[in-house]
Amino acid sequence: MLDVRRMQVLRAVITSGSITAAARNLGYTPSAISQQLSALEREAGTELLERVGRGVRPTPAGALLSEHAETLSSELAKAEAALTELKEGRIGRVAIRYFSTAGASLVAPATAAVRREHPGVRLDLKLVEPDDPMTEVEAGDADVAITVFPRKRQPGKGVELVHLLDDPYRAVLPKTHPLARKRVLDLTEFAEEPWVGVDGLPGVCRDILDSACASAGFAPNVVVESEDYQTAQGFVAAGIGVGLIPELGLGALHPGVVVRKIRNPEPVRAIHAAVASRAWGHPAVRTLLEAMRAATAKVA
C-alpha cells in the first residue's frame, strides 16, 4: 500500500524542483528525503523521478502520484477541520430517546438550547414508548435516553446515569369524591376504591405503583386501563374510579378532577438521563444535560 506521507514528500520534491529544495522546505535532510522516495518507489514498483541536470523531474508514474497526493492533502485538511469542529461541538449528530411525559417538560426546552448554542449539530429525536428508551443507548443506537429508575437491573456497560428529578405520583379524584375534601391522602384510603389504571403494561412504572400499593397492604382494583394520562383523567372525571398519575403527566389538568398529594408511601419515579460514555464529552450533550437540569428546576 502506498504511504500517504511519502506521496506528499514526492509532491514537495516535484513542485520545488529538487531534493535539496524540498528538504529545506520540509525541514528534513536531503538524505532523509531520498530514503522516503526510495521507499515510495519500492511501494509503487516503478521509478517516480529522473535526474535532469542538478534537479529532478517526475516520470509519468511520479506525476500521477503527485496529482493524487495533492488531492489527498486537500481531503486530509478537510478531515482535520471537520474533526476540530466535531470536538468543539459545531457539527455532528446526537441521538436522543425519551418517553412522552419527559418530552414536553424536559426534552423540548433542552432541544431548543442545543439548537441555539450548537446550530450545526443535528438532533435525532425519537419517542420510545412503552419500551424503555435506555435499551437503544445500551445497543449503541442512541447517545442519550431519558429513562425511569429504580429498576431491577443496572445499566449496560458504557452507559452512565445522570439523575434529573424525582417525579412523585399524585392522587387524582373526581371533584365530587368524598376524599377530595382532604389535602393529603394516605395510600390506604384508595384500597377499596375502583382504580383507573395508567401503567397497565409491565415495566418500571407499573412496578413502582404495585410496590407502593403492596407496602400499603393491598392490590389496586383496576376497572379500566388507560396508557394516556389525559384520557385517564377523563375516566376519573366521569366517576369511573380514582387514579395515581405522576406530576409530569398532569400538565393539562381536566376541569372535572382534583389532585392531591399521597403519602404512606408516596410513589416516586426517579428520572435519569442515560448517556453513552462515548458521547459524554460532546459539547452538545453537555448543553443538553445542563438545559434539562434547568428545566427540572422549573418543574420542581
Side-chain angles (χ1 to χ4, degrees), residues 167-228:
D167 184 25
Y169 280 81
R170 299 304 186 206
V172 182
L173 309 91
K175 280 189 172 181
T176 57
H177 197 286
L179 292 175
R181 295 191 297 267
K182 302 180 70 173
R183 299 188 64 180
V184 181
L185 300 173
D186 287 325
L187 186 55
T188 52
E189 296 182 81
F190 275 12
E192 303 301 324
E193 297 285 340
W195 278 55
V196 175
V198 295
D199 289 305
L201 294 176
V204 65
C205 293
R206 172 72 175 272
D207 291 345
I208 290 171
L209 289 179
D210 287 349
S211 177
C213 291
S215 296
F218 72 96
N221 174 28
V222 177
V223 296
V224 63
E225 293 276 8
S226 175
E227 294 302 316
D228 176 74

Side-chain angles (χ1 to χ4, degrees), residues 96-99 102-112 125 146 288 292:
I96 305 163
R97 305 294 181 256
Y98 62 97
F99 58 93
S105 56
L106 301 181
V107 179
T111 297
L125 296 162
I146 312 306
L288 184 81
M292 283 194 288

